[in-house]
Amino acid sequence: MCDSLYVKANGELPCWDDVGEQLILRTIDEQALSSKKEQQLFDFPTLVNIRKAFLEVREPYQHLCSKCAVRGHGTVTSLYPKIIRVLHIEPSYLCQLACPQCVEPKLRLQLKKPPYNMSLSFYHKLLQQLQDEEIATIRLVHFEGRGEPLLNN
Ligand code: SF4
């Protein structure tokens, strides 16, 4: 979470995709993106506090970070980095499969609010907002999530 961003199909921004996925840091509003009234995406206070915590060699969410598989995967160099190492996008939350470690099919639609597919217009506005925030580079865009990306057609 110090140098990357994970955006779910419905605009939620969780604390990455392991145990932190249950912690929704905020939800992006497409209308606010359109009217350029959405708050900063890569430097909003909660994300800056996560970076600050790791810079001070402490865990922002001890009850989660201590169990988190991605703990230590990112690097923290600044409170306000201008390079996104991974932009993790969940194209679709829907899936026709039932992998044991994933979302239970009968609970899938109860656990998350729609939209279940990220619209192309939302994705474009997200990139435009990051450009407006003067993000210099997005090193990798990673399309994956709790659903089958190819169901977003
Ligand atoms: S280590 Fe902590 S801050 Fe980092 S993704 Fe996991 S829960 Fe979130």
Coordinates of all heavy atoms in Angstrom, one line a residue, residues 1 15-16 19-20 50 54 60-61 64-65 68 70-71, ligand 1:
M1 N 0.8 -1.2 0.0 CA 0.0 0.0 0.0 C 0.9 1.3 0.0 O 0.3 2.4 -0.1 CB -0.9 0.0 1.2 CG -2.0 -1.0 1.2 SD -3.0 -1.0 -0.3 CE -3.8 0.6 -0.3
C15 N -7.2 -2.4 1.5 CA -5.8 -2.4 1.9 C -5.1 -3.7 1.3 O -4.8 -4.6 2.0 CB -5.7 -2.4 3.5 SG -4.1 -1.7 4.0
W16 N -5.0 -3.6 0.0 CA -4.4 -4.7 -0.8 C -5.3 -5.9 -0.8 O -6.4 -5.9 -0.3 CB -3.0 -5.0 -0.5 CG -2.3 -5.3 -1.8 CD1 -1.7 -6.5 -2.1 CD2 -2.1 -4.5 -3.0 NE1 -1.2 -6.5 -3.4 CE2 -1.4 -5.3 -3.9 CE3 -2.4 -3.2 -3.3 CZ2 -1.1 -4.8 -5.2 CZ3 -2.1 -2.7 -4.5 CH2 -1.4 -3.5 -5.5
V19 N -5.2 -10.3 3.8 CA -6.1 -10.0 4.9 C -6.6 -8.6 4.9 O -7.7 -8.3 5.4 CB -5.4 -10.3 6.3 CG1 -5.2 -11.8 6.5 CG2 -4.2 -9.6 6.5
G20 N -5.8 -7.7 4.3 CA -6.2 -6.3 4.3 C -7.4 -6.0 3.4 O -8.0 -4.9 3.4
I50 N -0.5 5.3 6.2 CA 0.1 4.0 6.1 C 1.6 4.1 5.8 O 2.4 3.5 6.4 CB -0.6 3.2 5.0 CG1 -2.0 2.8 5.5 CG2 0.2 1.9 4.6 CD1 -2.9 2.1 4.4
F54 N 4.9 3.0 8.2 CA 6.0 2.1 7.8 C 7.4 2.9 7.8 O 8.4 2.3 8.1 CB 5.8 1.5 6.4 CG 4.8 0.4 6.5 CD1 3.6 0.4 5.8 CD2 5.1 -0.8 7.2 CE1 2.6 -0.6 5.9 CE2 4.1 -1.8 7.3 CZ 2.9 -1.7 6.6
P60 N 0.6 0.0 10.5 CA -0.6 0.8 10.6 C -1.8 0.1 11.1 O -2.6 0.7 11.8 CB -0.8 1.3 9.1 CG -0.1 0.3 8.3 CD 1.1 -0.2 9.1
Y61 N -1.9 -1.2 10.8 CA -3.0 -2.0 11.3 C -2.5 -3.3 11.9 O -2.5 -4.3 11.3 CB -4.0 -2.3 10.2 CG -4.4 -1.1 9.4 CD1 -4.0 -0.8 8.1 CD2 -5.2 -0.1 10.0 CE1 -4.3 0.3 7.4 CE2 -5.6 1.0 9.3 CZ -5.1 1.2 8.0 OH -5.5 2.4 7.3
L64 N -4.0 -6.6 11.5 CA -4.0 -7.2 10.1 C -2.6 -7.4 9.6 O -2.2 -8.4 9.1 CB -4.8 -6.2 9.2 CG -6.3 -6.1 9.3 CD1 -6.8 -5.0 8.4 CD2 -6.9 -7.5 9.0
C65 N -1.7 -6.3 9.7 CA -0.4 -6.4 9.1 C 0.4 -7.6 9.6 O 1.1 -8.2 8.8 CB 0.3 -5.1 9.4 SG -0.5 -3.6 8.9
C68 N -0.5 -10.4 7.4 CA -0.7 -10.1 6.0 C 0.4 -10.6 5.1 O 1.6 -10.4 5.4 CB -0.7 -8.5 5.8 SG -1.1 -8.1 4.1
V70 N 1.3 -9.8 2.2 CA 2.1 -8.8 1.4 C 2.9 -7.9 2.3 O 3.5 -7.0 1.8 CB 1.2 -8.0 0.5 CG1 0.5 -9.0 -0.5 CG2 0.2 -7.2 1.2
R71 N 2.9 -8.1 3.6 CA 3.7 -7.3 4.5 C 5.2 -7.3 4.0 O 5.7 -8.4 3.8 CB 3.6 -7.9 5.9 CG 4.5 -7.2 6.9 CD 3.9 -5.9 7.4 NE 4.7 -5.4 8.5 CZ 5.9 -4.7 8.4 NH1 6.4 -4.6 7.2 NH2 6.5 -4.3 9.4
Ligands
SF4_1 S1 0.7 -5.1 5.6 FE1 -0.9 -3.9 6.6 S2 -0.9 -2.0 5.5 FE2 0.1 -3.4 4.2 S3 -1.5 -4.4 2.9 FE3 -1.3 -5.7 4.7 S4 -2.8 -4.9 6.1 FE4 -2.5 -3.3 4.6

